[in-house]
Amino acid sequence: MPASVDPVTFPDPVYREAVIDLLAAVGYGEVSAFERLAEDARLAPTLEDKVALGLFASAQIGKVEPIRLRLTELGADPFAAMEAFRDGFESFHTHTAPSDWWEGLVKAYVGDGLANDFYREIAAFLDPQTRDLVLTSLEDAGHAEFVVERVRAGIEADPRLAGRLALWGRRLMGEALTEAQRVAADRDALSALLAGGTDMPGLDLAAIGRMFTRLTERHVERMTGLGLEH
Amino acid sequence: MPASVDPVTFPDPVYREAVIDLLAAVGYGEVSAFERLAEDARLAPTLEDKVALGLFASAQIGKVEPIRLRLTELGADPFAAMEAFRDGFESFHTHTAPSDWWEGLVKAYVGDGLANDFYREIAAFLDPQTRDLVLTSLEDAGHAEFVVERVRAGIEADPRLAGRLALWGRRLMGEALTEAQRVAADRDALSALLAGGTDMPGLDLAAIGRMFTRLTERHVERMTGLGLEH
């Protein structure tokens, strides 16, 4: 399917709508990640860590512009399209407000990791130009490495941290899946993209189940990477 | 004086200390500006304005790295040097917490403008390499233009805003001068840089008075640019 799609005026209006939704979700996700990392920066124990988080926040907000441009090319109002995802992201953040520096670090790592895995899964169903834009937006500028290094050192200094952060990681995964399901239920075109359409390949229920299994496995690998029981 | 100074191992230890102080103040100022702009972004009335402020915040935090490198070259612990200016900046921010989007915009504009004018005045007393680094850190990535455009439109939509923001601008100027004097009193090397030393030209009291007159005049010009009585 990708090869047959005209990159700017997709012949299939449902596909076009799905691409707009997907890019808008990625775009709002970048804004939201910026805000969250900037807040986490306030909790940083050292000025060096504060600057590091500020730079990670910068990297996120800097990715909004290519998304905005592409949404405009597709004929969408880019900020209105992104706004549609505000409630989903804000609801997730309200339910998972970190109580300290460590919870903020783990949340950014788990949340970004999960979102990135999900977008990578979806990328397989996209035309090449949209796929490249989505994949470019997933590059993480060293953030994951920073979190792993800091959290492992934190646990070494205070082993009790591990139990609390392991529970926190499980809660984050649960809340993220809840929100993702809610968003998917609201956005027909996005769901259609996953399920396939008249001239598009898609995932049957079993394939969607396998995708969620893969997402969960990668979450477990990330938690293990942090030195946490999943 | 500048031409006779070896850029990395300044022969005059007081000058070296002053340069470290100055760069550290500029560096902490960038971190602080990032934090303030990221907070203001939360108050943005539209997603487009939020992204714009996020990008201005990014531009600020991105300027810390060259300052950090130079402080390291000068043999200073860069983050410890910057930390010395935390209290001054935090005290200013505690005394001037904006109560809404408009006060945040005006504060960023007035504060940055004043800081930039001050650093430009000081630049005349610096060796070329330090001067270039300081001047580069003052480029504003379109932020001033954004604030002027938004505030003028805000006043057009609600003329009562003008009186409140004019008062706010006066208060910001007063608090900034108070903090700047406190910092100068604490940092002997910085004061010595302004006052001149054994082999350095400096400002006598009359010249310092004229500098403050120039800073005030430029503040008034900025307030007028916003459409506000000073």
Side-chain angles (χ1 to χ4, degrees):
Chain A
M1 183 274 313
S4 70
V5 173
D6 171 3
V8 179
T9 57
F10 303 116
D12 178 346
V14 175
Y15 178 73
R16 176 180 166 277
E17 202 186 324
V19 166
I20 289 173
D21 267 4
L22 180 66
L23 293 179
V26 172
Y28 195 91
E30 305 293 4
V31 176
S32 179
F34 167 82
E35 289 197 296
R36 188 193 60 209
L37 290 165
E39 265 179 73
D40 291 348
R42 300 174 57 82
L43 300 170
T46 68
L47 189 57
E48 187 169 3
D49 284 347
K50 190 191 286 286
V51 172
L53 255 69
L55 289 171
F56 297 136
S58 289
Q60 300 284 354
I61 200 79
K63 289 173 184 166
V64 175
E65 182 59 12
I67 301 274
R68 185 191 70 75
L69 281 174
R70 186 65 182 153
L71 284 169
T72 305
E73 282 172 5
L74 292 172
D77 174 340
F79 292 107
M82 290 185 225
E83 287 277 7
F85 293 90
R86 178 195 290 264
D87 288 352
F89 279 98
E90 294 312 314
S91 171
F92 174 70
H93 289 310
T94 304
H95 286 97
T96 59
S99 69
D100 65 6
W101 166 247
W102 303 109
E103 291 189 2
L105 282 186
V106 171
K107 178 177 167 178
Y109 177 68
V110 163
D112 285 355
L114 188 59
N116 290 357
D117 285 345
F118 176 68
Y119 293 136
R120 251 187 219 106
E121 292 274 355
I122 279 198
F125 303 95
L126 299 172
D127 61 286
Q129 192 175 353
T130 305
R131 185 167 61 231
D132 288 351
L133 184 54
V134 168
L135 293 179
T136 302
S137 83
L138 306 184
E139 288 160 11
D140 95 336
H143 185 201
E145 197 183 339
F146 175 86
V147 172
V148 169
E149 194 269 313
R150 287 297 189 278
V151 170
R152 293 189 80 104
I155 291 170
E156 198 161 316
D158 176 9
R160 287 168 309 171
L161 199 55
R164 175 159 73 88
L165 293 182
L167 276 175
W168 174 244
R170 269 209 288 281
R171 195 167 133 221
L172 289 167
M173 183 67 177
E175 293 285 349
L177 290 179
T178 304
E179 277 316 319
Q181 277 168 338
R182 232 179 256 167
V183 169
D186 279 355
R187 313 298 301 179
D188 290 342
L190 261 189
S191 307
L193 179 68
L194 273 179
T198 43
D199 59 350
M200 290 152 60
L203 295 170
D204 58 19
L205 273 181
I208 290 181
R210 285 194 298 277
M211 183 180 87
F212 274 101
T213 302
R214 285 193 298 275
L215 292 178
T216 305
E217 282 168 359
R218 290 198 205 113
H219 169 71
V220 168
E221 284 165 21
R222 270 190 296 274
M223 296 300 282
T224 307
L226 287 176
L228 300 175
E229 303 281 328
H230 60 90
Chain B
M1 181 271 318
S4 70
V5 173
D6 172 0
V8 179
T9 58
F10 303 115
D12 178 346
V14 175
Y15 178 73
R16 175 181 166 276
E17 202 186 322
V19 167
I20 289 172
D21 267 5
L22 181 66
L23 293 179
V26 172
Y28 196 92
E30 305 293 4
V31 177
S32 180
F34 167 82
E35 289 197 295
R36 187 194 60 208
L37 289 167
E39 266 179 71
D40 291 348
R42 300 174 57 81
L43 300 170
T46 67
L47 189 56
E48 186 168 3
D49 283 347
K50 190 191 286 286
V51 172
L53 255 70
L55 289 170
F56 297 135
S58 289
Q60 300 285 353
I61 200 78
K63 291 173 183 166
V64 175
E65 181 60 12
I67 301 276
R68 185 192 69 76
L69 280 173
R70 185 66 181 154
L71 284 169
T72 305
E73 281 172 5
L74 292 172
D77 175 339
F79 292 106
M82 291 185 224
E83 287 276 7
F85 293 90
R86 178 196 291 264
D87 288 351
F89 279 98
E90 295 309 315
S91 172
F92 174 70
H93 290 312
T94 304
H95 286 96
T96 58
S99 69
D100 65 6
W101 166 248
W102 304 108
E103 291 189 2
L105 282 186
V106 171
K107 178 177 167 179
Y109 177 68
V110 164
D112 285 355
L114 188 59
N116 290 357
D117 285 345
F118 176 68
Y119 293 136
R120 253 188 217 107
E121 292 275 354
I122 280 198
F125 302 96
L126 299 172
D127 61 286
Q129 192 174 355
T130 305
R131 185 168 59 231
D132 288 349
L133 183 54
V134 168
L135 293 179
T136 302
S137 82
L138 305 183
E139 288 161 11
D140 94 337
H143 186 201
E145 198 183 338
F146 175 86
V147 172
V148 170
E149 194 267 314
R150 287 298 190 276
V151 170
R152 293 188 80 104
I155 291 171
E156 198 161 315
D158 176 9
R160 287 167 310 172
L161 199 56
R164 175 160 71 90
L165 294 182
L167 276 176
W168 175 243
R170 269 209 290 282
R171 194 166 135 223
L172 290 167
M173 183 67 177
E175 293 285 350
L177 290 179
T178 305
E179 275 317 319
Q181 277 168 340
R182 232 179 255 165
V183 169
D186 279 354
R187 313 298 301 179
D188 291 342
L190 261 189
S191 308
L193 179 68
L194 273 179
T198 43
D199 59 352
M200 290 151 61
L203 296 170
D204 58 19
L205 273 181
I208 289 180
R210 286 194 297 276
M211 182 179 88
F212 275 101
T213 302
R214 285 193 297 276
L215 293 178
T216 306
E217 283 168 358
R218 289 198 206 114
H219 169 71
V220 168
E221 284 165 18
R222 270 190 296 275
M223 295 301 280
T224 307
L226 287 177
L228 300 175
E229 302 281 328
H230 61 89

